Amino acid sequence: MRAIGCRMNLPAVLNGLLVSVVAALLWKYVRLIEHTSQLEEELHLTRQSQEFSQAHIDYHGALLTLQEHGTRMVCTGKMHTDRICRFDYLCYCTEAEEFVFFHSNASVMLPNLGPRRFQPALLDLSSVEDHNTQYFNFLELPAAALKFMPKPVFVPDVTLILNRFNPDNLMHIFHDDLLPIYYTMQQYSDLDDEARLVFMEGWSEGAHFDLYRLLSSKQPLLKEQLKTFGKLMCFTKSYVGLSKMTTWYQYGFVQPQGPKANILISGNEIRQFASFLMERLNITQEEGDDYIVVFKRTTNRLILNEAELLLALAQEFQMRTVTVSLEEQSFDSIIQIISSATMLVSMHGAQMITSMFLPRGAAVVELFPYAINPEQYTPYKTLASLPGMDLQYVAWRNTIEENTVTYPDRPWDQGGIVHLEKEEQEHILASKEVPRHLCCRNPEWLFRIYQDTTVDIASFLDVLRETLKKPNLKKIKVASTVHPGRVREPKCQTSVQATNEAKLSVSWQIPWNLKYLKVKEVKYEVWIQEQGENTYMPYILPHQNYTFSENIKPFTTYLVWKDNASFCFFRCFCADSSYVSSAFLQRQGVLCWLMDYLEDGNVLYLCQLFIEDNPGTLYILYP
């Protein structure tokens, strides 16, 4: 009976084994399917990442780096207005439209501002300073949260993330975007021609998007395009923000528009940038006869007697005149013409930014409609006047009300005023000059700037004759911006002849680099100020030593390079046909005290040498 029982259980045992084997195979199959699905997803995401670039990316390695190391950030600049940050693995959630910083034990955040990061922002995405539509910040998450989020798509290129300020306006394109982008890329070696620009302001490409393409071999990315690649984008290496060192104008958001208080760019840097763009556009300057370019506008702010103006210019300067138009010609063909022109004439407008392509010695003539004061709107005057641009600038304004055509019935943003109260309309119509104002919707400014103008030829030519030297492109020499260095070995010596009479002698050696500069004349500026006094006496001296006796008092402190004290101030000037007159503040000097008038006729005094604001040796000298 027992043997029979064993034989009866054998099929059940075999069946159980079969079920176990099948279950194991099914489990392995499911795992294999899951792994295959994961590999397919990673392959798809890798392909999506490589749609941005030909650069190979190890998706699994990049994901592991993000999970283990999180995001890393190191910034330059003390304030949000001058800060640029470099990120490793900065991510962007396209659904929430927020940047994300993933924290891990290996994350770096410098500066670590805490809640101050929102006062008001980490940095400006645009070169327009402290504009609340241009602020950048990010949200923070632990790296562990990646497990519950959509798989990221990685951007393998080095990227520069920024906002274009107004890509529909040429002035803004060049001043706010192209120049700052170009010189920001110059600051960081890995922002080279293979870097990719990412524009986060939300604008479409705009009419001049090809100009942005000139800055990199990679196609720029727009904010809207990021949504097509995935829900979570991660930039493996990125720079965020723009340098503001290249901007020269503020648009009147806080105070009426005008040149920036501290302009840090010269014409030299602007001309280098212009040469770069011309090279990318395959434009070369052509030599030939002199000619005058008149910018033609076709929709508003028209010159109503354009033909008469062209004829008057040709007769006055004995040059041919040509017209260019942004609406009718390609941008590169316009730059080709302007780059060899002798004079550029245009109504006030964004097209005048093309004056940066004029050759040295050329003239810029800007026309203003009735009631617009040229001194209040000077972006192009400021550009032309930058050291090293070497352009002549002339402004003409229409002062004859009968020579203007207004359009009160147009929409408000094209100068219309019919939407205003009748009293305000009457005030605007009666006004003879637009008062200073803030940007950007002042109705009186818009009404007047969109006028058409008949140029009074007589007054126009009078202005040119009074203020314009005859343009001569061939005789302009590039001005040097070489500055002399610090004067060396400054010394002072005092002597007292009587209780009310003293002398102070100062001497120094020439700046080290002066012996290598070809200069015809060297002068030194010395300031002497008595301690406690608010005024000083400046002297321009041709020699390296001088003895002062006038207004030098015994028992008085004379200090070199010391704030809120008496000092002698050294400054060196060089003048030569090859060098611009220049000055360099010398942060070194000598501190002298007339200590006492001794009974034996000698004077005890102390001298202390200062180099770079650091006290040097203290000398006790007896004359």
Side-chain angles (χ1 to χ4, degrees), residues 129-184:
E129 186 168 317
D130 202 24
H131 194 291
N132 60 9
T133 64
Q134 307 300 312
Y135 290 159
F136 169 85
N137 238 316
F138 51 76
L139 302 181
E140 299 173 72
L141 285 174
L146 285 162
K147 297 177 182 178
F148 311 103
M149 300 180 70
K151 288 291 183 67
V153 174
F154 291 98
V155 181
D157 301 316
V158 179
T159 57
L160 177 59
I161 299 171
L162 63 121
N163 278 0
R164 297 174 297 167
F165 190 69
N166 183 357
D168 286 341
N169 180 287
L170 265 183
M171 166 65 185
H172 289 292
I173 288 172
F174 275 87
H175 180 268
D176 307 337
D177 300 342
L178 297 181
L179 260 166
I181 292 170
Y182 177 77
Y183 278 107
T184 300

Side-chain angles (χ1 to χ4, degrees), residues 3 54 272 303 406 442 445 579:
Q54 296 300 316
Q272 286 189 43
I303 299 174
T406 61
N442 182 281
W445 151 254
Y579 291 89

Side-chain angles (χ1 to χ4, degrees), residues 336-399:
Q336 177 72 71
I337 295 169
I338 289 176
S339 65
S340 299
T342 304
M343 184 186 302
L344 176 64
V345 181
S346 175
M347 291 297 295
H348 173 80
Q351 72 282 349
M352 290 203 69
I353 194 64
T354 57
S355 60
M356 70 168 60
F357 295 96
L358 284 168
R360 298 180 190 275
V364 181
V365 182
E366 186 172 11
L367 314 179
F368 288 85
Y370 178 77
I372 299 293
N373 185 346
E375 293 303 314
Q376 296 178 11
Y377 311 95
T378 61
Y380 313 111
K381 177 182 179 180
T382 305
L383 169 62
S385 304
L386 290 175
M389 281 305 294
D390 299 320
L391 295 174
Q392 301 184 67
Y393 176 85
V394 180
W396 174 88
R397 65 185 293 187
N398 176 27
T399 57

